[in-house]
Amino acid sequence: MSPSASSPAAAQPVGTNGQEPTKTYREMDASTMTTSLVPEAEQLPVPGLQDPGRLTQKLTTAHMVQAPWVAGEGWGPPHMGPYGKIALEPTASVLHYATESFEGMKVYRGYDGKVRLFRPWLNCERMNKSNARVCLPAIDSDQLLAVISKFLAIECRRWLPEPGSHLYLRPATIGSGSALGIQRPPEALFFLFAALFPQSSHEPSPGMRLLASDSDVIRAWPGGFGGSKVGANYGPAMVAQAKARENSCGQTLWLFGEDRQVTEAGASNFFVVWKRKDSDVLELVTASLDTEVILDGITRRSVLDLARQRLTKDSADLPEGFQPVQVVERTFNMDEIVEAQKEGRLIEAFVSGTAMFVMPISEILYDGINVTLPRTVGEDGTKLPVAKYSYTIKTWLSDIMFGKVEHEWAYVIDEN
Amino acid sequence: MSPSASSPAAAQPVGTNGQEPTKTYREMDASTMTTSLVPEAEQLPVPGLQDPGRLTQKLTTAHMVQAPWVAGEGWGPPHMGPYGKIALEPTASVLHYATESFEGMKVYRGYDGKVRLFRPWLNCERMNKSNARVCLPAIDSDQLLAVISKFLAIECRRWLPEPGSHLYLRPATIGSGSALGIQRPPEALFFLFAALFPQSSHEPSPGMRLLASDSDVIRAWPGGFGGSKVGANYGPAMVAQAKARENSCGQTLWLFGEDRQVTEAGASNFFVVWKRKDSDVLELVTASLDTEVILDGITRRSVLDLARQRLTKDSADLPEGFQPVQVVERTFNMDEIVEAQKEGRLIEAFVSGTAMFVMPISEILYDGINVTLPRTVGEDGTKLPVAKYSYTIKTWLSDIMFGKVEHEWAYVIDEN
């Protein structure tokens, strides 16, 4: 802050770390949320959810929520107002030191007309874990969900009218206070907006190619922060991501260690279905969470939960003609995938995440080798990656999200 | 961006990665810099460089420089205007994905009245390395230095009048464009401001205590980005830094690997002077740059350069009574420091960086052991860490910075 300006930050004593008197500290409180809404006539019409070409990740709905936090005082009342720019001091912590965390969620208009979130409790818990990892303040998970719900109760009527469609939600926390010293930000800002993402397709997918990362580029490390949804995991990954695109691949497949362990794909978790080397048992394998190198994805967790419940021998849900799978979370590496492919044991591979949802993998480029996944022929004669298991799981998840079935993972927003 | 708003970002095609037609691409050009200055009467008087209590890192001078960059077009003209807030779209890349880099520099008013930078070419080169690591645009190093010089030529007359004092400069680049997808930011912003830091002391220092990091927390790793000055290195380090302060330590001493290699201290490089185990030779040891785990500090490089030139047996600069030292850049670990201390071979330790300058270490807390560095008694009878070598090097550096001697590392700003 310039000496000629003034801001609340100036009144803060230097070095307020940890000096947070519990008496006056305020938790986030959704009941104190205020609103100043854009008049209905000034909000543009919904820009055609039927017109996916017009939708980019840059388009948002008309409003956003902001809530300020000050060290020693806590959270101020959340405010829902017009979507607009955020003004920050050039000395703000977030612009220099990556004191930033976020969540990615989708909100769904069900075929029954109801608006639903998918396991939002997990996002709210994870945001707190992420915030803690970069010295940002905690947010009471229930209050965070209540703030999100209030925003959606207003916003979805106009911006999510179409059954079977969704919006993308982005809650974020940033270190907004002036702090050129490397220290806990003295102020923070929570904000939340909704973006008009392109809609997921329910058609069989042509699949995505992955470019395995080079051995000299590592996304995350044990003892680092790969398990937290903090900005620091993403900017430094963009060079590899750009290289993937240059190679006509959709994402980087991040490997780790000299034995080239498979960790995750871009901003998604990675799964493979294969036949065990020593028996005819099928396995659904993904990297374990042990070392905090990979993100504890909510779609990942849901894929594993559903597979454990429904893809077993005795499950009534096991589709006809499906062999049951054993779910395995463990360290595995590229050599195992290459070997399984050579021996004809590789069945399918896919990635999961909120943005990507569930997407089959068609090919992995790995140190000059093209590891091609098994293919099938689509209705129009084109070759498609085999996605029997992933498509089944995707459909189960989609049915919960859009309310085709009642499920405890769905959280209905009260729009009245 | 909301559909009801408009911004240049909206005109950008999606996925402009790499699509930068060379014909129209503009490099940063200092000659195009425009100014709109705050009238002299409205700039507060210099808030007493004699009054260090009033100076915090939050106080800046009256102006800042900004320059916009757009993918496919390049850099727009830099503008020097009043210091003030930066307004960003909530979807801006920097707020979510840590697409941010910065430099730390000091500008010195010499005892001869001239204004100097210290090896600024290295900062400008490093900013480009950092920008590349997080997909931010390159800035021509000469032009960057020219922009900084123009800013200082105006700002230092009023804000750095006192011989023997300095300002802290913060050039930064951020991904300012809307980009919720994980991709190269479509727009960026370079900005530069000067902060009124507390002045370095030339008195013998009571030294700083360091808290060695726990084995389950890692700052940086091979194949990561510890060697670049990007935000992603700092936010995730703040938890350890807060723990250091709780333990009355000034900084974290970052260790790496199972053998607890010594890498760097907080945001500074770390040095130790010891006697070799196998001979009476003295060594000045610091971690090597091989694996990109530590920052290629400019003060670090200068400490090593001066030691190699002046602390040798045949150097005319070797102070009387000083044993020459051999400069060693290699991997070394905490066990070696503990052993040297037990065997009476540990002579001194210090850290170096632009903000900290050269600071002796009094003690290292390591897995419950207090490794105390040798002490001497100050003029007032208090115990001080031995800082014979570090104080000598600090004085040499200071003499160059403040123009007590002419040296090729000094870059004089023309204020006329």
Side-chain angles (χ1 to χ4, degrees):
Chain A
M1 184 200 53
S2 163
S4 54
S6 74
S7 98
Q12 285 295 310
V14 175
T16 51
N17 290 359
Q19 302 173 11
E20 294 166 20
T22 45
K23 273 185 186 174
T24 59
Y25 188 89
R26 291 186 304 268
E27 298 286 351
M28 176 85 78
D29 183 354
S31 73
T32 63
M33 186 160 131
T34 55
T35 55
S36 58
L37 304 183
V38 178
E40 188 76 12
E42 292 174 24
Q43 295 185 30
L44 280 186
V46 178
L49 292 183
Q50 294 78 11
D51 178 10
R54 288 196 53 201
L55 299 182
T56 81
Q57 293 157 353
K58 287 175 192 164
L59 290 178
T60 66
T61 67
H63 298 102
M64 65 188 294
V65 175
Q66 295 185 66
W69 176 91
V70 177
E73 298 179 17
W75 288 101
H79 178 72
M80 179 170 171
Y83 178 90
K85 289 189 174 180
I86 294 172
L88 294 168
E89 292 287 340
T91 49
S93 179
V94 66
L95 301 181
H96 305 269
Y97 305 134
T99 43
E100 58 195 71
S101 82
F102 68 93
E103 274 300 317
M105 309 167 74
K106 279 178 178 164
V107 56
Y108 309 86
R109 175 70 72 182
Y111 295 109
D112 58 357
K114 289 184 187 168
V115 169
R116 288 177 179 81
L117 292 168
F118 181 76
R119 307 185 85 177
W121 313 278
L122 299 180
N123 294 96
C124 294
E125 282 166 21
R126 193 171 60 182
M127 174 152 251
N128 274 310
K129 179 186 166 186
S130 302
N131 281 11
R133 190 64 186 80
V134 288
C135 271
L136 288 169
I139 305 176
D140 180 274
S141 294
D142 293 340
Q143 293 300 317
L144 176 53
L145 181 52
V147 167
I148 293 169
S149 299
K150 282 192 161 195
F151 172 75
L152 295 176
I154 294 171
E155 209 68 345
C156 288
R157 273 196 294 270
R158 179 163 192 107
W159 295 95
L160 187 62
E162 205 69 36
S165 67
H166 60 69
L167 294 172
Y168 180 83
L169 288 180
R170 176 56 63 93
T173 315
I174 58 174
S176 55
S178 291
L180 281 189
I182 314 289
Q183 60 181 10
R184 189 186 297 275
E187 294 170 60
L189 180 72
F190 167 81
F191 62 94
L192 164 69
F193 60 83
L196 307 177
F197 259 39
Q199 301 298 306
S200 302
S201 166
H202 297 286
E203 297 298 308
S205 166
M208 186 165 65
R209 299 170 81 222
L210 298 177
L211 178 63
S213 60
D214 294 334
S215 57
D216 59 351
V217 185
I218 298 293
R219 189 194 86 97
W221 195 274
F225 37 87
S228 298
K229 218 159 169 66
V230 295
N233 283 320
Y234 297 86
M238 287 180 185
V239 175
Q241 176 63 16
K243 190 176 169 191
R245 292 196 183 180
E246 285 161 19
N247 284 275
S248 306
C249 292
Q251 296 277 348
T252 308
L253 181 61
W254 287 106
L255 308 184
F256 177 80
E258 288 182 12
D259 57 346
R260 315 297 292 279
Q261 297 161 24
V262 178
T263 62
E264 61 183 63
S268 313
N269 293 113
F270 177 85
F271 299 80
V272 65
V273 180
W274 63 28
K275 192 180 289 184
R276 284 180 63 101
K277 200 173 165 60
D278 55 2
S279 76
D280 281 341
V281 170
L282 292 197
E283 286 182 341
L284 172 66
V285 183
T286 196
S288 69
L289 301 175
D290 297 349
T291 56
E292 295 268 323
V293 164
I294 68 162
L295 192 75
D296 180 5
I298 291 159
T299 316
R300 173 190 182 278
R301 213 191 270 205
S302 306
V303 165
L304 296 178
D305 288 348
L306 288 181
R308 285 194 175 104
Q309 288 160 17
R310 303 186 183 180
L311 293 176
T312 58
K313 186 162 64 86
D314 303 323
S315 164
D317 295 305
L318 186 72
E320 197 159 323
F322 273 53
Q323 192 179 337
V325 299
Q326 285 187 2
V327 174
V328 180
E329 295 175 75
R330 70 161 168 95
T331 300
F332 67 110
N333 60 40
M334 273 307 298
D335 284 349
E336 291 180 82
I337 293 181
V338 171
E339 189 188 31
Q341 196 252 13
K342 282 183 180 161
E343 296 176 2
R345 295 185 287 107
L346 194 56
I347 294 171
E348 60 186 272
F350 61 95
V351 295
S352 81
T354 297
M356 285 268 163
F357 197 17
V358 174
M359 170 83 78
I361 300 305
S362 57
E363 199 164 40
I364 302 169
L365 273 61
Y366 164 60
D367 285 357
I369 309 168
N370 285 16
V371 184
T372 305
L373 277 290
R375 296 182 194 182
T376 182
V377 177
E379 285 181 12
D380 61 354
T382 57
K383 284 191 175 172
L384 299 173
V386 169
K388 189 170 151 180
Y389 287 93
S390 68
Y391 189 78
T392 299
I393 293 169
K394 180 182 174 184
T395 304
W396 283 336
L397 288 170
S398 186
D399 286 351
I400 296 169
M401 291 158 174
F402 289 106
K404 275 197 181 169
V405 296
E406 291 292 323
H407 197 283
E408 59 182 3
W409 289 349
Y411 177 82
V412 175
I413 302 294
D414 182 358
E415 292 184 281
N416 298 314
Chain B
M1 184 200 54
S2 164
S4 53
S6 76
S7 99
Q12 285 296 310
V14 176
T16 51
N17 291 358
Q19 301 173 11
E20 294 166 19
T22 45
K23 273 186 188 174
T24 60
Y25 187 88
R26 292 186 304 266
E27 298 286 350
M28 175 86 78
D29 183 353
S31 73
T32 63
M33 186 160 131
T34 56
T35 55
S36 58
L37 303 183
V38 179
E40 189 74 12
E42 291 173 26
Q43 295 186 31
L44 279 186
V46 179
L49 293 182
Q50 295 78 13
D51 177 11
R54 287 196 55 200
L55 298 182
T56 81
Q57 295 157 351
K58 287 175 192 165
L59 290 178
T60 66
T61 67
H63 298 102
M64 66 189 292
V65 176
Q66 295 184 66
W69 176 91
V70 176
E73 298 180 16
W75 288 102
H79 178 71
M80 178 169 172
Y83 178 91
K85 289 188 174 180
I86 294 171
L88 294 168
E89 292 287 339
T91 49
S93 178
V94 66
L95 301 180
H96 304 270
Y97 305 133
T99 42
E100 57 196 72
S101 83
F102 67 93
E103 274 300 317
M105 308 168 76
K106 279 178 178 164
V107 57
Y108 308 87
R109 174 71 71 182
Y111 294 109
D112 59 357
K114 288 183 187 168
V115 169
R116 287 177 179 82
L117 292 168
F118 181 76
R119 309 185 85 177
W121 312 278
L122 300 179
N123 294 96
C124 294
E125 281 166 20
R126 193 171 62 183
M127 174 152 252
N128 274 311
K129 179 186 165 184
S130 302
N131 281 11
R133 190 63 186 80
V134 288
C135 272
L136 288 169
I139 306 177
D140 180 274
S141 294
D142 292 340
Q143 293 300 317
L144 176 53
L145 181 52
V147 167
I148 293 169
S149 300
K150 282 192 163 195
F151 172 75
L152 294 177
I154 293 170
E155 209 69 346
C156 289
R157 274 198 293 269
R158 179 163 192 107
W159 295 96
L160 186 63
E162 204 68 37
S165 67
H166 59 71
L167 294 171
Y168 179 84
L169 288 180
R170 176 55 63 94
T173 316
I174 59 175
S176 55
S178 290
L180 280 190
I182 315 289
Q183 60 181 9
R184 190 186 297 274
E187 293 171 61
L189 180 73
F190 167 81
F191 61 94
L192 165 70
F193 60 83
L196 307 177
F197 259 39
Q199 301 299 306
S200 301
S201 166
H202 296 287
E203 298 297 310
S205 166
M208 187 166 64
R209 299 171 81 221
L210 297 177
L211 178 64
S213 60
D214 295 333
S215 57
D216 60 349
V217 185
I218 297 293
R219 188 195 87 97
W221 52 86
F225 39 87
S228 298
K229 218 158 170 67
V230 295
N233 283 318
Y234 297 87
M238 287 180 184
V239 174
Q241 176 63 16
K243 191 177 168 190
R245 293 196 182 179
E246 285 161 20
N247 284 275
S248 305
C249 291
Q251 296 277 350
T252 308
L253 181 61
W254 287 106
L255 308 183
F256 177 79
E258 288 182 14
D259 57 345
R260 314 299 290 280
Q261 298 161 23
V262 177
T263 61
E264 62 182 62
S268 313
N269 293 113
F270 177 84
F271 299 81
V272 65
V273 180
W274 63 28
K275 192 180 288 183
R276 282 179 66 99
K277 199 173 165 63
D278 55 3
S279 75
D280 280 341
V281 170
L282 292 197
E283 286 182 342
L284 172 65
V285 184
T286 197
S288 68
L289 301 175
D290 297 349
T291 56
E292 295 268 323
V293 164
I294 69 163
L295 192 74
D296 180 5
I298 291 159
T299 317
R300 173 190 181 280
R301 212 190 270 204
S302 306
V303 165
L304 297 178
D305 288 347
L306 288 182
R308 284 193 175 104
Q309 289 160 19
R310 302 185 184 181
L311 293 176
T312 57
K313 188 160 64 83
D314 303 322
S315 164
D317 296 304
L318 186 72
E320 198 160 321
F322 273 52
Q323 191 179 335
V325 299
Q326 284 187 3
V327 174
V328 181
E329 295 175 75
R330 69 162 169 94
T331 299
F332 66 111
N333 60 40
M334 273 307 298
D335 284 349
E336 291 180 81
I337 293 180
V338 171
E339 189 188 30
Q341 196 253 13
K342 283 183 181 161
E343 297 175 359
R345 295 185 288 106
L346 195 56
I347 294 171
E348 59 186 270
F350 61 97
V351 296
S352 82
T354 297
M356 285 268 162
F357 198 17
V358 175
M359 170 82 77
I361 300 306
S362 57
E363 200 165 42
I364 302 168
L365 275 60
Y366 165 60
D367 284 358
I369 308 168
N370 284 16
V371 184
T372 305
L373 277 288
R375 295 182 195 184
T376 182
V377 177
E379 285 181 12
D380 61 354
T382 57
K383 284 191 175 171
L384 299 173
V386 169
K388 190 170 150 179
Y389 287 93
S390 69
Y391 190 78
T392 299
I393 294 170
K394 181 182 173 184
T395 304
W396 284 336
L397 288 169
S398 186
D399 287 351
I400 297 170
M401 291 159 175
F402 289 106
K404 276 198 182 168
V405 296
E406 290 293 321
H407 197 283
E408 61 182 3
W409 289 349
Y411 176 83
V412 175
I413 302 294
D414 182 0
E415 292 185 281
N416 299 313

